[in-house]
């Protein structure tokens, strides 16, 4: 086991956070559990603490409109074990999460021992996939995983604007106005590391490669009331 024994649980269900925290402490020997109820709060805690070795995210909590946010967390924290713990058993959700580079997808319906075994395997380097999906293929569901297409980029980006978290929209608006990451952090009272994760999520969500393209997309797509 790693020396760092700090885990973060991001889920808006307080009772589930308590139960999962108990499993992490009693069965996997974590010494500290950081609980958050939204994606934005989780991202802020990750930027504040360098000793978090495991982060568990629910797909249905506030702010988790797009799997691109988890992909951004993986980009900025490559050594962090990122796990989805979700009530959803949809193959498309599982495939999207795996495509984002997460380390495992653990169904909430598993028993405590099975959850501990799954997370333990992830901590030891495995990528955990639910037994119900392992080895099964469904071409129609594979097709649900988004593929880039320049011809539909603007339409997809427009739909994506509606799926950004409130904090991501604030960051994008300030980016459009020409502020640097440091200035955005100061205006929103965030750490620069937090802004960096939001920026990476914006790049993925808008399917752009840099700040200039993101600013151009934001200027085109944000409602006039925000600009």
């Amino acid at each position: 086991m790693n020396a760092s024994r700090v885990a973060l649980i991001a889920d808006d269900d307080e009772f589930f956070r308590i139960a999962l925290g108990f499993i992490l402490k009693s069965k996997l020997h974590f010494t500290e559990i950081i609980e958050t109820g939204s994606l934005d709060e989780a991202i802020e805690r990750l930027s504040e603490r360098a000793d978090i070795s495991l982060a568990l995210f629910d797909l249905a909590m506030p702010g988790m409109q797009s799997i691109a946010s988890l992909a951004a967390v993986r980009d900025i924290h490559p050594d962090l074990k990122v796990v989805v713990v979700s009530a959803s058993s949809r193959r498309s959700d599982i495939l999207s999460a795996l495509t984002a580079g997460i380390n495992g997808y653990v169904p909430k319906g598993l028993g405590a021992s099975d959850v501990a075994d799954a997370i333990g395997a992830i901590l030891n380097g495995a990528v955990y996939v639910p037994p119900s999906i392992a080895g099964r293929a469904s071409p129609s569901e594979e097709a649900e995983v988004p593929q880039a297409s320049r011809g539909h980029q603007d339409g997809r980006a427009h739909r994506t604007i509606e799926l950004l978290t409130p904090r991501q929209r604030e960051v994008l608006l300030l980016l459009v106005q020409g502020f640097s990451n440091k200035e955005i952090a100061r205006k929103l009272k965030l750490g620069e590391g937090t802004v960096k994760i939001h920026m990476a999520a914006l790049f993925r969500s808008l399917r752009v490669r840099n700040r200039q393209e993101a600013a151009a997309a934001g200027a085109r797509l944000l409602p006039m009331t925000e600009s």
Side-chain angles (χ1 to χ4, degrees), residues 22-197:
F22 177 78
I23 292 172
L24 292 177
K25 282 188 171 183
S26 64
K27 295 183 178 294
L28 296 172
H29 312 295
F30 278 85
T31 55
E32 182 180 353
I33 307 298
I34 300 171
E35 297 184 22
T36 68
S38 71
L39 176 64
D40 285 339
E41 186 184 358
I43 288 174
E44 291 179 25
R45 297 292 85 75
L46 285 171
S47 72
E48 295 167 355
R49 297 283 298 264
D51 56 346
I52 299 173
S53 58
L54 173 69
L56 304 139
F57 294 89
D58 179 34
L59 289 181
M61 68 177 170
M64 187 62 82
Q65 287 97 330
S66 170
I67 204 70
S69 296
L70 292 189
V73 170
R74 293 290 297 124
D75 288 345
I76 305 302
H77 300 285
D79 296 327
L80 178 71
K81 299 292 187 183
V82 178
V83 181
V84 168
V85 183
S86 174
S88 172
S89 58
R90 283 171 47 112
R91 184 180 177 85
S92 58
D93 286 340
I94 298 171
L95 291 175
S96 294
L98 294 174
T99 300
I102 57 101
N103 298 98
Y105 193 106
V106 181
K108 284 187 174 181
L110 294 180
S113 295
D114 289 334
V115 169
D117 289 344
I119 296 175
I122 291 167
L123 293 172
N124 286 324
V127 174
Y128 182 84
V129 179
S132 60
I133 194 176
R136 289 170 49 190
S138 171
S140 62
E141 287 179 318
E142 290 281 356
E144 293 180 41
V145 179
Q147 300 294 326
S149 171
R150 183 169 296 276
H152 297 90
Q153 186 169 354
D154 271 1
R156 288 179 176 179
H158 184 73
R159 290 192 297 273
T160 298
I161 286 289
E162 303 303 319
L163 297 177
L164 297 179
T165 70
R167 185 66 82 190
Q168 287 168 357
R169 291 171 73 96
E170 290 176 335
V171 170
L172 181 58
L173 179 60
L174 291 173
L175 174 63
V176 169
Q177 294 173 354
F179 292 102
S180 68
N181 281 10
K182 182 177 293 187
E183 291 169 329
I184 293 173
R186 185 164 58 247
K187 282 181 172 294
L188 298 180
K189 295 182 171 59
L190 299 173
E192 284 190 62
T194 301
V195 173
K196 191 174 181 181
I197 293 176

